Amino acid sequence: MAHPSQLGFQDAASPLMEELLHFHDHALMIVFLISTFVLYIIVAMVTTKLTDKYLVDSQEIEIIWTVLPAVILIMIALPSLRILYLMDEINDPHLTIKAVGHQWYWSYEYTDYEDLGFDSYMIPTQDLETGQFRLLEADHRMVVPLESPIRVLVSAEDVLHSWAVPSLGVKMDAVPGRLNQTAFITARPGVFYGQCSEICGANHSFMPIVVESVPLDYFEDWSFTVLQDS
């Protein structure tokens, strides 16, 4: 969960988000080194005779500023392609959930269970209880088992939406008439919040996503209770 004055990302709650954080730090360090080097060259050109034509126009310098950017691009591209492959890989999911975006709420269908589904609406500010977060709490949470591969099928009923949970490293567009899929594994128990990341209308900011990760035994009890109540 984000907190006031936070500068970095939320704490990772899935292996995928940990990989994304590592790649972010890797790329940011490369950008920092490039910026420092360029700043040094600018200062040196202003304060010294670095602009000497025999230095600036030399063949060695041209080779360096041709080869070095290519090496930097490779250093960024290789880990980037690896993470893109991991994000697209879905192997033997233990549970499949269909998330459908509406104006302006989400509905969830647990496709491995018969008749297990519900709508998830934002809790109005006046109905919040102590400790709940404004604009982020939902009346029904998407409950998933801990440390289990979860596949989420994402679609929309009316306009474009986007199902996104930052701490899980998940963001998938919900397109009417199309079924997109994403996957994640929760590495720790807890409640993880997200919001629709597509400008989908007047109440765009009022359709939160709440994912609760619980042990398998608790999940089975929860699913049985929901089925009994439906």
Side-chain angles (χ1 to χ4, degrees):
M1 182 63 192
H3 56 79
S5 302
Q6 180 174 335
L7 296 178
F9 292 96
Q10 297 181 25
D11 292 337
S14 69
L16 178 59
M17 188 58 188
E18 292 178 1
E19 293 286 342
L20 291 172
L21 290 179
H22 293 159
F23 175 72
H24 168 267
D25 296 340
H26 168 75
L28 190 62
M29 183 55 65
I30 293 176
V31 172
F32 174 77
L33 293 175
I34 293 174
S35 302
T36 303
F37 177 72
V38 171
L39 180 61
Y40 167 77
I41 295 296
I42 293 175
V43 173
M45 291 179 65
V46 173
T47 59
T48 66
K49 294 182 179 181
L50 193 62
T51 55
D52 186 275
K53 66 177 182 179
Y54 297 106
L55 177 62
V56 176
D57 296 335
S58 67
Q59 185 176 3
E60 291 77 9
I61 292 296
E62 293 182 1
I63 293 175
I64 291 174
W65 70 41
T66 300
V67 174
L68 189 58
V71 173
I72 293 173
L73 288 176
I74 292 174
M75 293 175 61
I76 296 176
L78 290 180
S80 175
L81 292 174
R82 173 178 173 273
I83 294 178
L84 286 174
Y85 176 80
L86 291 175
M87 294 176 67
D88 195 51
E89 187 71 12
I90 301 177
N91 290 323
D92 190 25
H94 294 178
L95 182 67
T96 299
I97 303 174
K98 184 178 180 182
V100 181
H102 307 268
Q103 289 184 313
W104 287 272
Y105 64 95
W106 293 95
S107 62
Y108 299 104
E109 302 174 12
Y110 289 70
T111 59
D112 299 286
Y113 294 80
E114 187 176 357
D115 299 328
L116 179 54
F118 49 83
D119 296 329
S120 180
Y121 291 88
M122 186 194 76
I123 299 178
T125 302
Q126 63 273 15
D127 297 333
L128 291 175
E129 299 178 359
T130 303
Q132 292 185 327
F133 299 101
R134 176 177 173 270
L135 302 183
L136 289 177
E137 293 290 348
D139 56 356
H140 292 93
R141 296 172 173 176
M142 191 183 92
V143 181
V144 298
L146 177 66
E147 297 180 342
S148 297
I150 308 298
R151 175 172 58 186
V152 183
L153 304 176
V154 184
S155 186
E157 184 71 23
D158 33 49
V159 299
L160 291 176
H161 299 281
S162 184
W163 198 85
V165 183
S167 57
L168 297 177
V170 176
K171 182 177 181 180
M172 181 57 64
D173 288 341
V175 182
R178 178 172 178 175
L179 212 56
N180 294 327
Q181 68 174 357
T182 184
F184 63 87
I185 300 175
T186 55
R188 55 185 171 87
V191 180
F192 312 111
Y193 297 91
Q195 290 178 299
C196 175
S197 298
E198 193 76 42
I199 301 178
C200 56
N203 293 332
H204 154 69
S205 58
F206 299 96
M207 50 184 305
I209 301 161
V210 186
V211 178
E212 183 175 1
S213 175
V214 298
L216 181 59
D217 292 342
Y218 185 93
F219 173 79
E220 292 177 344
D221 293 339
W222 170 84
S223 60
F224 179 76
T225 302
V226 174
L227 287 173
Q228 289 293 105
D229 295 339
S230 61

